[in-house]
Amino acid sequence: MAINLQNIQWKLHLDESTVGTPHEWFRAFAPWIPDSPEVFVDVADYSHVEDGPVVFLSGHNVCYSLDATGRRNGLLYERRQPAEGTNPEKLEESFTALLKHAALLETDPEFKVKPKFLVHDVKFIVNNRGIAPNNDETLAAVKPELSALLDKVYGAGAYTLTREQDKRQRFMVHIKANAPVAVNEALKKFE
Amino acid sequence: MTTTNKQELYTSDAAKYWKEALSDKLPAEWRVNVDEFESDIALKKRGKIEHKLFAETRLRMGAYGQRYDNGKRYDGKEVRRVPFPEEFKGPDTYWDAPGMERIKLPWGGLTADQMDLFADLAEEYSDGICHITTRQAIQLHYIHIENCPSMFRRLGALNITTREACGNAVRNVSADPRAGVNPDEAFDVTPYAQALFEFLLGHPDAQDFGRKFKIALSGDEAGASGLVNIHDLGLIATIKDGKRGFKYYVGGGLGAVPYAAKLFSDFVPEEEILPLAQAVCRIYGRFGEKKKRHRARIKFLIADMGWEKFRETVIAERAILPHDDRWSSYIKDIGKFEEKPLKPAGKKLAPTGDQEYDFWVSTNVSAQKQEGYSAVIVTLPLGDITSNQMRALADVARKYVKDTVRTVVEQNLILRWVSNDDIPAVYRELKKLGLALPGAESILDVTACPGTDTCKLGVSSSRGLAGELRARLYKKGPELHEAVRALRIKVSGCFNSCSHHHIADIGFYGISRNVGGYVVPHFQLMLGGQFENNGGAFGIGTGGVPSKAVPAVVERLTEQFVAQRNDGEKFRDWVERTGKATIMQGLQDLLEVPAYESDKSYYVDWGDVREYSVKDKGIGECAGEVVTLTDFGLKAADRELFDAQLKFEKDGPAGVAAAGTMAYRAMVLAAQGLLKEKHPYISEEPELVMETFTKDFHDTGIFHDPFAGPKFYQYYQQAHAHKGAGLDKEKVQHFLHEAQLFVEAAHSCYARASLAEPAEKAEG
């Protein structure tokens, strides 16, 4: 089974003691709209709900959010428009975009306490039940290309991959590396 | 006929997958609708359909535009272009801009499987949020138009259609969410709501309207129930001589100017409700306004035609309708809507001593007419529920009630048929999900339309304000006086009343004011509307309040109400007894906007970080306030209108007559105020003001609202013909609303002109 990966999502978890307030995230995201070369449209505040988005930056190609789905906070990268290229290219492009934006947030002056991202604790999601049902077959199809990327970030085999077992959830892989990695360190692996 | 290669229709592998997997699971007619819509998308992408036609096509499938889809966004300093690719899905609406999908849920009915599906759709196509609307529908935001066919197929496979969820069509048929379990109802209206939905969906006689057409059904007259009074067509269940029928109302509606529905008949037997609805639709389609959108709702047709003539015309039309078996064939199947409980009946509920739980029970749990069962409201802040919450709530439903879930017009969900013995367990499960908020159907549960968050028409941040009010009120929670707790607050981002601000005890709608050269977000305060009696009475406009002062205004109003009310006096009665002048006097110190330099927070709306809008000019060299002749003129118009409303309320028939004349004068003053910038010495002479205003502000399009077009100018034009004289009480009441809207439009026009004015010219 071959999958043309689309609607890729990555969630980079946060050290919960550094999450900050929704207002800080709102203030951090808002200037991305006029200042970024990417097309962003608006910021939405969902801090009144639980187990979902907290602050959502809507974009044309990609959306970012402070996301508390699964009751863990993290930065969510969400590809909206169809992505071109091979699967390894799409995986690398999306993952490095996530890291670059995390790096921006780690130094953003809007935060009293700087957010600290846990690069060793990541979720990979294919947000499309039509092309990627949440089953072992999809995992088998995706694993080689996903592992190639993760080998580069964490070192060969220095991590575990666990597929989400709730059948109603999207295809989701929990990735835990054996050792912590800083955002900038991870980015350097792709230079 | 244009043809397309079907293979090229698929916009993605997923679209192809859903089509192949689900097409045979949709009812045949719905399948054709979706296939045709998919073809229309392909044709539009090839330039074979014009923008306007495609816009109406997608609207009829529930696919709305969303804020900034014209590619323009104000960033606090200037309007910047959002660089979407140059493809369009409607006039001035970019193809790739995120849009909103409204999904109809007749009578608000939801099964657990449908809830799972909504969770999936919100994750895959939206932002992980399902939003419950004030008409029992569900909206998903940030949708890409090309995902719609897949979404429609997935919905259709679970018996949900989006067809005619928007556009000039029969919208969602809503009903009392407690229908079938409401102790005060004559009978369960659910089967009748379903019959109306099925009969009118795609009906040829309901395809040629100038505007939308909303239907609601209610089982009882006294409760809020279905809000029949504010609908184009409304039915209240009643039994006469042992036979089921309905009190039949036509011509209600909120919008900018609220109209109460009129009683067409005090008893229409059940077999007659469909043909009579068909006749009403025919007359509305045939005689209703098609060009002037602001006069196109059926309420205006009735006003123009006259009630008796309208009624006679409908009755005559009914008499010549060709027979249709569907008119009565549904009646034999009414029994299939009877719900069966999943669990045995429980014991009567009693206080437990756990304050938090008992408070939740007191606000969110109500006894059903079936002994031993309760209906439980799941309070959703601002009508939002996340995908994971929705999925988990579906599991709660499966465990305790199965498929007896409904949406509520106050943007909540309701679980019906909960055994009383299960109430504590349901509470615990909801609490784990973050869904056990108390305060349903109370002042805590503030209703808000999407406002400036996502709506193209929003003027102020209704959700931002509602969120702030909720947060403050929840802190007080059980300590609130009982009479205050019973109040309703509803907040709309503009005059269109999507939150139903006209029938709230305390309602707000977004406006803006020019203060010292800056545009400041405000809300118009409406007091004394009535949610009960099916939305029985409308509030009165009381005055503009700076957005940032609204929480303090609510606090002051509720304190004054508690302190001044007579025993058992309702809020509406207190408002009428006290009078708006006295009430506003008591709020006066809260209405002042501090200077920009001393408190910038007033110049930023709730839930936003951008300055609402800033005129790029400093203070004039005289170092005083920049107050123009226009400022004075608009203030005079506000005052005149305020006094007109007082006259209307207080001075009997003579006051009503005076109010009409004064409201017209307020319009003249507002128009004159705007003209004074260019014609500083223009007189108040009505003909001259009208003529000059038409030339300078209407013919040039300067006055036209960005979304409502010339609507408010037309109010002025109509008023100029009668000058507020010779109108009956009902017409004066409508006219006061129109005058209010015209004056607000003058403020907005002035604000827009100020923003557009180059700094150099302003300084000069």
Side-chain angles (χ1 to χ4, degrees), chain B residues 218-251:
Chain B
S218 170
D220 77 301
E221 206 150 4
S225 205
L227 301 178
V228 160
N229 196 41
I230 63 168
H231 281 79
D232 298 283
L233 182 66
L235 283 68
I236 298 178
T238 186
I239 292 177
K240 193 173 177 183
D241 301 329
K243 187 168 170 46
R244 283 182 170 199
F246 291 86
K247 285 190 174 176
Y248 215 84
Y249 289 83
V250 185

Side-chain angles (χ1 to χ4, degrees), chain A residues 26-27 30 33-34 41-42 44 46 48-51 53 58 60 69 71 80-81 127-130 168-169, chain B residues 14 17 68 73 96 116 120 123-124 126-127 142 144 381 384 386 388-389 391 395 398 432-434 607:
Chain A
F26 201 105
R27 293 191 69 89
I33 301 170
V41 183
D42 201 20
Y46 291 119
H48 51 278
V49 292
E50 294 185 19
D51 203 359
S58 158
H60 170 56
T69 304
R71 297 182 185 277
R80 283 289 173 112
Q81 287 288 309
N127 187 26
N128 190 323
R129 290 174 172 86
R168 292 187 299 173
Q169 292 286 350
Chain B
Y17 168 80
Y68 313 126
R73 184 179 185 275
D96 281 318
D116 278 343
D120 292 356
E123 277 170 347
E124 289 178 59
S126 176
D127 54 0
Y142 303 101
H144 195 285
D384 291 343
T386 63
N388 272 356
Q389 285 179 313
R391 212 173 273 121
D395 286 340
R398 285 188 183 95
K432 263 192 257 168
L433 305 177

Side-chain angles (χ1 to χ4, degrees), chain B residues 479-501:
Chain B
E479 295 159 24
L480 285 167
H481 190 284
E482 204 180 322
V484 170
R485 211 190 299 158
L487 303 179
R488 248 81 169 197
I489 299 179
K490 297 180 187 299
V491 188
S492 298
C494 75
F495 52 79
N496 277 312
S497 197
C498 293
S499 79
H500 300 159
H501 60 250

Side-chain angles (χ1 to χ4, degrees), chain B residues 722 724-728:
Chain B
H722 57 66
L727 306 176
D728 64 24

Side-chain angles (χ1 to χ4, degrees), chain B residues 83 107 205 208 230 275 282 284 357 435 494 499 560 568 571 609 656 676 715 719 724 744 747:
Chain B
W107 42 272
D205 289 341
D208 189 28
I230 63 168
R282 276 190 171 197
Y284 176 43
Y357 169 76
L435 291 172
C494 75
S499 79
Q560 288 180 346
F571 188 78
V609 294
V656 169
K676 277 193 171 173
Y715 286 163
E744 293 303 348
H747 278 287

Side-chain angles (χ1 to χ4, degrees), chain B residues 690-702:
Chain B
M690 182 75 213
E691 189 187 322
T692 318
F693 188 80
T694 301
K695 189 164 149 263
D696 285 13
F697 281 88
H698 171 62
D699 294 347
T700 57
I702 290 171

